[in-house]
């Protein structure tokens, strides 16, 4: 074994254990009934996520990588997201917490045994540099965030995690917007160890000069839009968004409410509190973000503009992995990794700013972009079409940058998330361009 693949192997073993610890930690304080119930039609029962995490690991790290699956076909089908729609998941005979826990342990034991013999210096793109292990890790990380979305939508007594980390204070930047001069930059990546298929290929993109909000739009700013009649002015809305708003009777972001006509509060993980003025607005759909931008005399940035502002170093002519550089996320640079349970006030991470001076691009809230989810030039589906390809040109908008609920290993400047423009269960906000 060469040293590099030995290091990769040790790293993978450690990361797999750490990811599983988090999954279990998130579920620990919830009752069996809360795990089994479907809390919202766009979410799965949490117990499905739990079993599905183990089954995805079995599928990729045993069956596909080594032809060594353990389970019967029915179990794979039950936990296959593309075979079993969300509406059917609550009525399945899902493994309960105890059985799912034993199943996940059995899969993991076999995975570690297979990993011990695996050749990570091979030319097989699935195993090379540990790609498939990183893909499975990212999958577990992503489900950890999905699970938090479900917990946020739970009705009841409130979620009481055993830890809550503190946040640094906000610090509004002096300039509301930063300028990103026109010119070309490299969008996407050629990385084959961590990046997912939709982040490739790296390609040159020319942007015109534009202004971008230095921070995400705050609750305070969004409240002005609400109080200015933003939800009643049809001319501000995309026609499809207006129809959605009318049909769903929407007049403020998700989780906002008024205890009396003079005050706005939010409901956060079952607890009620006054709206935090300087924190980014959260739980808004793409349509709401788009209407706000029009009201403010601005627009949403394209995906290319977002990525350029976050990743390009114009002095060096190079691309950064994160807005601040290539060093991995640390708590001083970005609000990631779930344990704060909320976005920070804007400007709280000056050390996390990009080369152009925009801050909070990674962490806090996902940010809607104007762009529809589609393939980059040179895209090749890998290792399966259902990860990205079937979602191209299907009406999804791209989200960038991760949220406070994103695990650090699941986000980078090139990472692309997507959802329908009506969705607001995500920990999502936005910033505007002009
Ligand atoms: Fe999944």
């Amino acid at each position: 074994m060469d040293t590099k693949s030995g290091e990769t192997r040790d790293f993978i073993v450690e990361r797999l254990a750490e990811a599983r610890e988090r999954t279990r930690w998130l579920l620990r304080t919830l009752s069996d009934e809360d795990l089994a119930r479907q809390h919202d039609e766009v979410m799965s029962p949490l117990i499905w996520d739990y079993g599905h995490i183990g089954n995805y690991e079995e599928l990729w790290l045993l069956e596909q990588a080594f032809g060594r699956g353990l389970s019967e076909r029915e179990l794979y089908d039950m936990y296959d997201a593309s075979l079993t729609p969300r509406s059917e998941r609550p009525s399945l005979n899902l493994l309960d917490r105890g059985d799912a826990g034993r199943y996940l342990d059995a899969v993991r034991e076999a995975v570690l045994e297979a990993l011990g013999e695996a050749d990570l210096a091979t030319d097989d793109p699935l195993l090379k540099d540990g790609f498939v292990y990183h893909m499975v890790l990212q999958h577990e990380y992503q489900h950890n965030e999905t699970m938090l979305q479900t917990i946020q939508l739970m009705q009841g007594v409130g979620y009481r995690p055993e830890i809550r980390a503190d946040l640094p204070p906000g610090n509004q930047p002096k300039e509301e917007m930063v300028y990103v001069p026109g010119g070309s930059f490299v969008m996407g990546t050629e990385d084959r160890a961590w990046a997912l298929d939709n982040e490739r290929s790296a390609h040159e993109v020319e942007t015109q000069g534009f202004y971008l909000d230095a921070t995400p739009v705050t609750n305070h700013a969004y409240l002005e839009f609400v109080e200015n009649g933003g939800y009643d002015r049809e001319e501000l809305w995309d026609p499809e968004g207006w129809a959605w708003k009318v049909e769903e009777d929407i007049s403020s972001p998700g989780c906002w409410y008024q205890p009396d006509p003079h005050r706005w509060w939010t409901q956060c993980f079952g607890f009620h509190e006054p709206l935090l003025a300087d924190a980014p607005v959260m739980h808004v759909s793409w349509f709401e973000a788009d209407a706000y931008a029009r009201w403010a005399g601005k627009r949403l940035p394209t995906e290319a503009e977002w990525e350029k502002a976050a990743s390009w170093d114009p002095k060096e002519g190079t691309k950064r992995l994160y807005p601040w550089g290539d060093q991995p996320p640390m708590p001083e640079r970005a609000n990631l990794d779930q344990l704060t349970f909320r976005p920070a006030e804007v400007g709280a991470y000056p050390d996390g700013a990009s080369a152009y001076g925009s801050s909070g691009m990674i962490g806090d809230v996902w940010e809607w972009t104007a762009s529809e989810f589609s393939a980059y030039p040179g895209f090749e589906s890998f290792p399966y079409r259902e990860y990205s390809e079937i979602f191209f040109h299907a009406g999804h908008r791209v989200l960038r940058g991760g949220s406070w609920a994103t695990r650090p290993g699941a986000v980078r400047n090139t990472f692309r998330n997507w959802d329908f423009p009506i969705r607001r269960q995500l920990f999502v906000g936005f910033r505007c361009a002009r």
Side-chain angles (χ1 to χ4, degrees), residues 215-253:
T215 71
V217 170
T218 62
N219 283 323
H220 173 76
Y222 197 87
L223 182 58
E224 280 183 46
F225 165 70
V226 174
E227 294 188 330
N228 195 241
Y231 281 83
D232 304 318
R233 291 170 53 187
E234 191 171 350
E235 76 276 13
L236 297 173
W237 291 72
D238 177 285
E240 215 182 301
W242 181 257
W244 163 78
K245 182 207 81 81
V246 171
E247 167 84 25
E248 301 288 326
D249 193 20
I250 287 183
S251 55
S252 61

Side-chain angles (χ1 to χ4, degrees), residues 71-330:
S71 303
E72 302 292 326
R73 199 70 255 159
E74 296 87 75
L75 188 115
Y76 281 96
D77 290 352
M78 190 160 73
Y79 289 114
D80 183 329
S82 51
L83 285 182
T84 312
R86 280 195 192 89
S87 58
E88 287 173 20
R89 292 176 196 168
S91 53
L92 298 169
N93 191 17
L94 298 169
L95 300 176
D96 65 16
R97 191 193 319 242
D99 287 343
R102 282 181 283 278
Y103 167 58
L104 265 64
D105 286 343
V107 168
R108 179 56 57 85
E109 202 184 313
V111 161
L112 295 179
E113 203 182 302
L115 173 60
E117 302 153 21
D119 176 10
L120 303 179
T122 152
D123 283 338
D124 174 356
L126 207 54
L127 288 174
K128 188 172 178 344
D129 297 328
F131 169 80
V132 75
Y133 292 93
H134 300 155
M135 181 183 85
V136 168
L137 273 168
Q138 291 188 58
H139 180 259
E140 185 154 356
Y141 296 154
Q142 285 169 19
H143 273 275
N144 290 165
E145 180 160 3
T146 313
M147 285 155 50
L148 281 168
Q149 291 167 17
T150 306
I151 295 170
Q152 168 74 314
L153 290 163
M154 256 170 57
Q155 301 298 319
V157 290
Y159 182 55
R160 294 176 190 279
E162 292 152 344
I163 305 172
R164 258 176 211 274
D166 292 333
L167 284 165
N171 183 11
Q172 289 268 5
K174 281 188 202 74
E175 300 294 332
E176 184 186 304
M177 300 186 94
V178 301
Y179 184 65
V180 180
S184 68
F185 83 105
V186 179
M187 185 168 185
T189 178
E190 287 301 320
D191 172 55
R192 291 191 168 266
W194 278 94
L196 299 165
D197 59 0
N198 64 56
E199 294 169 68
R200 293 190 295 266
S201 299
H203 57 291
E204 226 164 87
V205 173
E206 184 87 19
T207 67
Q208 309 233 300
F210 65 97
Y211 284 90
L212 184 71
D213 284 346
T215 71
V217 170
T218 62
N219 283 323
H220 173 76
Y222 197 87
L223 182 58
E224 280 183 46
F225 165 70
V226 174
E227 294 188 330
N228 195 241
Y231 281 83
D232 304 318
R233 291 170 53 187
E234 191 171 350
E235 76 276 13
L236 297 173
W237 291 72
D238 177 285
E240 215 182 301
W242 181 257
W244 163 78
K245 182 207 81 81
V246 171
E247 167 84 25
E248 301 288 326
D249 193 20
I250 287 183
S251 55
S252 61
C255 305
W256 282 31
Y257 70 100
Q258 287 187 284
D260 64 58
H262 309 288
R263 291 180 304 159
W264 284 93
W265 280 44
T266 59
Q267 193 252 56
C268 184
F269 291 101
F271 298 101
H272 298 255
E273 58 188 39
L275 200 61
L276 195 59
D278 292 333
V281 66
M282 194 164 62
H283 300 304
V284 283
S285 66
W286 184 90
F287 287 128
E288 289 166 290
D290 175 64
Y292 172 95
R294 208 166 284 114
W295 171 80
K298 299 178 181 176
R299 60 178 175 82
L300 293 178
T302 64
E303 192 184 359
E305 287 171 337
W306 193 99
E307 187 168 320
K308 181 176 180 179
S311 71
W312 197 241
D313 182 336
K315 277 204 199 84
E316 303 289 328
T318 53
K319 188 175 177 89
R320 299 174 173 182
L321 263 177
Y322 303 97
W324 53 84
D326 290 344
Q327 308 88 336
M330 304 284 281

